[in-house]
Amino acid sequence: RHDVIASVLAREHLRPLLHLLNDQCSQSAAFDAKHGGGSGSGGGRHRVGPLTSTVLRVLTNIAASGVGAAREVVRGLDSELRDGALRAALASFSGGGTDSVSGSGGNKRKAYDAADASKSMPKTSKKKSVGVMDARTAALRLCSSLIESSDPTVLSFTCSPGSRERKTNAGIVHTALRVGLAGGIFDSRAGPVGPIPSADALHGKERYLQNVARFLTAVRTSTLPGKAMDDDFTKNGPGTAAVYRPGLDDRIMSELLNGDVIDRLIRISEYAPALSDAESSYEAVLSAVDRETTAEDDPHVRYLRLAAVQCRRLLFILLADKHRSPFLLQIHANGGAKDASGRSSPQEHIINRALLSFASNDCSLPTRAFILHCLRATPILLFPFFRSLPMPDPKPTYDCLSALAFVSNLLSEGPSVSDCVSQQMPSRADQVIPFILPSSLSKAFLTKAVQSTNAFLVAEALRVICDVLKRVEAYASTFRDETPFEFSLRESLQKRLPDIQMLLALRSRFDPFATVVDEDGMDDAAVLSKEEVVALRLCETLQGYGRVLPDEVVSGVKFDWTKLFPNDMASFFRISSVVQLVILRTFDAVGMQAGSKNIALVSKAFRSLLMISLSSKSLEVYNLSRALAIRVILSIARTSTMGQSESRKCLEHEAGLWVDGASTETLAELCNLVTAASQSSMHHTLSVSRAWACTFPSQLVPVLCFSGLLSSALAGAYLCAAEFSRPFRDLVCQVATKSILYHSDPRPLAAFIKYCSLSARSNDVSMLDDGGDDIEDRNDVLYQYALVPLGEGSTRPLDSFLSLVCPLFGKESLHSQLVLEKSSQDLILKALESDSLDLVIRQSLNLLDLIREEQNDQEVRHRLHHLVHLAVLASSESGRGDALPSILRHPYIVSGCGSEEEMTCFTISLSSSQPYGRPKHPSFDSFARLWLSHVVRGDDRDTTLSKSTAALAASLAYVTSPSFSVSLIKFLLERCSSKAQTAEDELLCHTLLMTVMNSSDITAGFDSSFPVHHLLKLWTELASGDIEGDEQVLTPLGMKLQDAMQRILLNANNQGVIAAKL
């Protein structure tokens, strides 16, 4: 009934009201002609009749009465009003006594406003005029009422842009966004809290601001897509994606909210409370739960901020919400496609201009976080943003430093290059560069910035360069192999960055070692000096140059990379450990790369690296300096067999022994030896070959597993002993001893030690050093120990081992206590907690190999077996590397471990490290067959099969490939065919055979040597009942044999082989 009344009222009285509104708004034309007002005179506001606001209020009440009445109102506004009437009402002030202050009007305009207001005011009390609503406010209220109806017909009329061809007027909402929010209180030239002339003006402005806030809220909630209500969610079920109800057509909304409207919204939003990291973050704004006003605000400021907050909420949705923004919806629908000229779309241009306005007007962190959020949500926007982003002059000013920090944040936290180019894959490198760094960051800009004398500007510029390099590195990692496109990209980037030679000049300009204050090398990066900050950024940038740019950029530079370290190494330890670490990483990434072509440079840096490893208090600095020193020795100790796994592993172990055994007493001699060894690589090969020929004249030289550094040191320790200090000779003896214990084949090193010792004796070398100490005892002990692997030892191997190892490494070492029968389970487990599992296993196997022929050392062998067993389990369970390959290649294992019992012990240990279900190790299959060949002798085929051997064979079948199972089945079938087997042994063979056949598909390992005739014979005997025994074993075994025979016979590839066998 209410809707019927409203419709009747609208049809009968709406047209006269609209005609009256036309008459009232037409006064603005005469007023502007007489007084020079209107929108063309500096933004002044129109003069309308005194009844304008009253008519608009009546229309508002009619529209609010129902959807049908609202449709009648919008149709009447479109058909009955003259062109410009709505614009006049929205850009006007009425004669109702609310004194409005124009943002640009002069004194003449203000005087006329006051006089006209007094003439047109009814002859009543002035108190009655306080409640009179301004026409502009009334028009905004009508807009809000129409939008809040959420009727598609109403929205299409109100938001229509109009058409001159069709002679249709623009909708009231379309006009309000352009005129109703312009001028006056929102003009940037008029302060938001300026003097208020009267109470009437105050109330008028408050009402105007209230209706602006309501109008913007209605636009945000009714015209844009919004999340569906809870009822709509329940229809889709829980856990479904968010459902958005549709808004107006994207094209209509794009015209409704054009660039000029966005600029106006940005200007109004500047009056909103500042964003913060808490309740007013951009996430809160997008969710419309941000703080609107504060209790301390006076009413005028409170309403102004309320309107600005609603404006900011609408604006943030338009820029960031890809589900609701008409601009972003069209951008994502087009997939970021460009036109023929490569220009951005109009939607991208609008959003980009808005983001640039935010970036230039507000440099606060929350605002920049919002810009970053917008770019991450729509990565294609990064191209126009980088193309248009301005940069101030590279000077040490707040604007420049702030801009560099903002760009650095964009490069590191913004959308990746892969995300930006995912829609349209570029074909040339220059098409990718605009997504990597802003156009304003030219080579000239960055070069001028790093040449500044201000440390903070230089540090920020270096950070930006480093972020650019990381950005390219992340994009290049998406390519599988080096491609011409990637190489072209690196070259294009090189042209945009400063020359590396210019960056290297910063090392002397901002020397972190020249102004050191800290005496202990503080770990806190927050107390870095400005020189340390520049050094930190410089090193990170140089690392990026080495990783990203072409190799010629770094290798072709003329710079002594050892200058990264100071001449006085004491000053190195007084800077922060953070800077120490980054300097070492830079030398690792860049200096070692350049040193690969210049051995002299690397050997020169060895002294600095060794001093750092000896004196550093930081664990990270020590680990890295130690690793770099080892790499220096490896680069010098290159041999022709360096590429082989065993040789490289032994050389790495030896290099670690040199670095770990060095001290301040041996530093100088070791550095001199490294320098000399780098210049005599050929002498090492010749001298070792000569020594081998003296011991094994008819055998070829095996793979060399020790470096020229060790051969030179041994030759000096024996032939020129008096020229070296005692600590250095002890170091040489330690390295040689541990190397012999580590090498799988220690004979080449042992032969060289023997050769040096005999040469010293034949040349009558003095065995007294400068201090009068006898050198011969230590050298002779090493010589006697070296004779053991050569088979020429005159003493028990364990006695020789103890005489050498215990004095050098102490009786508390693991293997010393094992040999001395003082080992404990706790000692073994403690040793296995370290990272030296491979070392423990190798040394144990080497000791077992040494005492292979000693019958009185059974207890020691058992203890070493137990140690290897625990080490293998620890290696398998801890994930610190698989020790199995090195064990299986060891000569002691390959040769059969000395006895069947020891072979079985190792088989049990190694099989326990290969859990069922994991990929089978091919080397372990070979070892399992080796065990089978040792256990199953040709002449022992008729002997009784032990239960322990059968159990081990069954377990091996589950951790090996089918090839081992086939070999085991061959053995079992041959045993089953033997006439001399007892009933118990025959049952054991049958049970084991069934277990093995259950473990894997034997047809996968079938070959021509498979005893298929034995398989057929056994199956025939089982089928005919000739074999007596446990039916629970024989029946399943017969079925398994039949199934295997069927699969073998049906395989066409096997028929010729089977025919020949049968």
Side-chain angles (χ1 to χ4, degrees), residues 621-880:
V621 173
Y622 163 75
N623 289 334
L624 183 54
S625 60
R626 177 183 178 275
L628 290 176
I630 290 175
R631 286 180 56 189
V632 169
I633 295 179
L634 291 177
S635 64
I636 295 174
R638 289 193 184 98
T639 63
S640 58
T641 59
M642 187 72 173
Q644 299 185 17
S645 174
E646 178 65 20
S647 176
R648 182 170 183 82
K649 186 174 292 187
C650 292
L651 289 174
E652 289 175 352
H653 178 254
E654 180 194 327
L657 294 177
W658 284 115
V659 175
D660 295 337
S663 63
T664 55
E665 298 174 333
T666 60
L667 176 63
E669 292 170 293
L670 181 58
C671 292
N672 294 335
L673 188 65
V674 167
T675 304
S678 63
Q679 302 171 357
S680 57
S681 57
M682 291 299 299
H683 178 71
H684 164 63
T685 305
L686 294 175
S687 59
V688 174
S689 300
R690 189 180 301 111
W692 178 265
C694 293
T695 306
F696 303 99
S698 60
Q699 298 183 21
L700 296 177
V701 181
V703 175
L704 296 183
C705 295
F706 63 101
S707 67
L709 183 62
L710 181 56
S711 62
S712 299
L714 287 170
Y718 278 96
L719 301 176
C720 309
E723 298 180 6
F724 295 95
S725 63
R726 178 176 179 178
F728 183 74
R729 293 195 304 272
D730 290 342
L731 173 62
V732 174
C733 188
Q734 290 179 8
V735 173
T737 304
K738 288 189 174 182
S739 296
I740 291 178
L741 283 173
Y742 189 81
H743 291 180
S744 297
D745 185 6
R747 293 179 303 161
L749 178 57
F752 186 78
I753 294 175
K754 172 187 173 183
Y755 176 77
C756 292
S757 178
L758 295 179
S759 298
R761 294 180 181 182
S762 62
N763 294 333
D764 295 330
V765 178
S766 174
M767 291 292 106
L768 293 177
D769 57 13
D770 295 339
D773 295 331
D774 190 4
I775 304 172
E776 185 175 4
D777 289 342
R778 282 188 297 274
N779 288 348
D780 185 64
V781 171
L782 179 60
Y783 166 69
Q784 293 297 331
Y785 182 72
L787 294 178
V788 176
L790 298 177
E792 302 176 7
S794 58
T795 60
R796 289 178 65 241
L798 288 181
D799 294 339
S800 178
F801 170 80
L802 291 176
S803 64
L804 181 64
V805 174
C806 290
L808 288 175
F809 310 117
K811 295 183 179 181
E812 301 299 324
S813 65
L814 176 63
H815 288 93
S816 298
Q817 295 205 22
L818 282 173
V819 176
L820 293 172
E821 301 182 9
K822 295 180 180 180
S823 63
S824 64
Q825 188 78 2
D826 294 338
L827 177 65
I828 294 176
L829 295 178
K830 183 178 180 181
L832 296 180
E833 290 177 358
S834 65
D835 294 330
S836 57
L837 293 176
D838 182 68
L839 176 63
V840 172
I841 294 172
R842 277 176 167 271
Q843 291 180 347
S844 301
L845 292 176
N846 284 334
L847 277 177
L848 285 169
D849 198 21
L850 287 177
I851 62 176
R852 180 195 299 265
E853 305 298 335
E854 296 291 331
Q855 300 298 326
N856 298 327
D857 299 327
Q858 295 295 330
E859 292 297 328
V860 177
R861 276 202 290 266
H862 286 313
R863 287 194 293 271
L864 291 174
H865 288 157
H866 181 57
L867 176 60
V868 173
H869 175 68
L870 293 178
V872 169
L873 291 179
S875 176
S876 175
E877 295 175 0
S878 65
R880 284 182 280 171

Side-chain angles (χ1 to χ4, degrees), residues 103-125:
S104 59
N107 295 328
K108 181 178 179 180
R109 177 67 178 273
K110 291 182 180 179
Y112 180 81
D113 292 344
D116 184 76
S118 63
K119 292 179 181 179
S120 61
M121 184 178 297
K123 301 299 182 180
T124 57
S125 173

Side-chain angles (χ1 to χ4, degrees), residues 12 14 181 207 440 493 523 536 546 566 620 666 745 829 892 930 943:
E12 294 181 357
L14 182 60
L181 306 180
R207 292 185 181 184
S440 54
L493 180 65
D523 292 335
L536 188 68
E620 291 183 340
T666 60
D745 185 6
L829 295 178
Y892 177 71
L930 180 66
T943 59

Side-chain angles (χ1 to χ4, degrees), residues 569 573 580 609-618 621-622 625 664 667:
M569 289 302 298
F573 302 106
Q580 296 178 23
L609 295 172
L610 204 57
M611 290 182 65
I612 294 173
S613 65
L614 290 174
S615 305
S616 177
K617 299 179 181 179
S618 171
V621 173
Y622 163 75
S625 60
T664 55
L667 176 63

Side-chain angles (χ1 to χ4, degrees), residues 292-305:
E292 296 179 346
T293 59
T294 60
E296 293 78 11
D297 296 337
D298 60 68
H300 177 63
V301 175
R302 185 182 304 120
Y303 289 123
L304 176 61
R305 289 185 173 176

Side-chain angles (χ1 to χ4, degrees), residues 24-25 27-29 31-32 37-49 52 56 84-94 100-104 109 113 134-140 143 172 175-184 208:
Q24 293 294 310
C25 292
Q27 297 182 16
S28 64
F31 177 85
D32 294 337
S39 60
S41 60
R45 288 162 58 183
H46 293 268
R47 178 72 177 180
V48 295
T52 303
L56 291 172
L86 290 177
R87 176 178 293 273
L90 287 164
S92 68
F93 60 91
S94 69
S100 299
V101 180
S102 173
S104 59
R109 177 67 178 273
D113 292 344
D134 187 89
R136 192 185 209 193
T137 305
L140 288 174
C143 292
I172 187 172
T175 306
L177 287 171
R178 287 153 179 77
V179 181
L181 306 180
Y208 170 70

Side-chain angles (χ1 to χ4, degrees), residues 796-1058:
R796 289 178 65 241
L798 288 181
D799 294 339
S800 178
F801 170 80
L802 291 176
S803 64
L804 181 64
V805 174
C806 290
L808 288 175
F809 310 117
K811 295 183 179 181
E812 301 299 324
S813 65
L814 176 63
H815 288 93
S816 298
Q817 295 205 22
L818 282 173
V819 176
L820 293 172
E821 301 182 9
K822 295 180 180 180
S823 63
S824 64
Q825 188 78 2
D826 294 338
L827 177 65
I828 294 176
L829 295 178
K830 183 178 180 181
L832 296 180
E833 290 177 358
S834 65
D835 294 330
S836 57
L837 293 176
D838 182 68
L839 176 63
V840 172
I841 294 172
R842 277 176 167 271
Q843 291 180 347
S844 301
L845 292 176
N846 284 334
L847 277 177
L848 285 169
D849 198 21
L850 287 177
I851 62 176
R852 180 195 299 265
E853 305 298 335
E854 296 291 331
Q855 300 298 326
N856 298 327
D857 299 327
Q858 295 295 330
E859 292 297 328
V860 177
R861 276 202 290 266
H862 286 313
R863 287 194 293 271
L864 291 174
H865 288 157
H866 181 57
L867 176 60
V868 173
H869 175 68
L870 293 178
V872 169
L873 291 179
S875 176
S876 175
E877 295 175 0
S878 65
R880 284 182 280 171
D882 190 4
L884 187 62
S886 61
I887 295 176
L888 297 176
R889 287 192 298 266
H890 197 277
Y892 177 71
I893 300 296
V894 174
S895 61
C897 303
S899 64
E900 293 183 11
E901 182 181 1
E902 292 186 15
M903 187 73 177
T904 302
C905 291
F906 273 103
T907 305
I908 295 174
S909 300
L910 297 179
S911 64
S912 61
S913 68
Q914 300 292 306
Y916 175 74
R918 291 187 183 180
K920 309 300 187 297
H921 202 293
S923 300
F924 187 70
D925 289 347
S926 302
F927 178 77
R929 286 192 293 270
L930 180 66
W931 167 80
L932 190 63
S933 66
H934 280 75
V935 173
V936 186
R937 305 292 183 182
D939 53 350
D940 295 336
R941 187 172 300 170
D942 296 333
T943 59
T944 302
L945 183 66
S946 65
K947 293 183 179 180
S948 59
T949 304
L952 178 57
S955 64
L956 288 176
Y958 284 94
V959 295
T960 54
S961 62
S963 61
F964 172 76
S965 299
V966 170
S967 301
L968 184 58
I969 290 174
K970 291 179 185 179
F971 158 67
L972 293 174
L973 288 175
E974 292 173 356
R975 291 188 68 90
C976 291
S977 63
S978 175
K979 302 295 185 180
Q981 298 298 315
T982 64
E984 181 180 359
D985 189 36
E986 189 175 15
L987 178 61
L988 183 62
C989 285
H990 290 164
T991 305
L992 179 58
L993 184 61
M994 185 180 65
T995 303
V996 174
M997 296 186 69
N998 277 328
S999 65
S1000 61
D1001 180 15
I1002 62 172
T1003 59
F1006 180 84
D1007 57 11
S1008 59
S1009 64
F1010 189 81
V1012 66
H1013 54 291
H1014 290 318
L1015 180 66
L1016 179 62
K1017 178 181 177 182
L1018 180 60
W1019 173 74
T1020 304
E1021 292 176 352
L1022 289 173
S1024 60
D1026 295 342
I1027 300 177
E1028 298 181 356
D1030 190 354
E1031 293 294 332
Q1032 294 182 355
V1033 176
L1034 298 180
T1035 301
L1037 176 60
M1039 297 176 63
K1040 285 289 182 182
L1041 293 174
Q1042 178 177 339
D1043 180 62
M1045 284 292 299
Q1046 183 177 3
R1047 282 181 290 170
I1048 293 175
L1049 291 172
L1050 291 178
N1051 192 338
N1053 297 327
N1054 299 333
Q1055 290 177 2
V1057 177
I1058 294 175

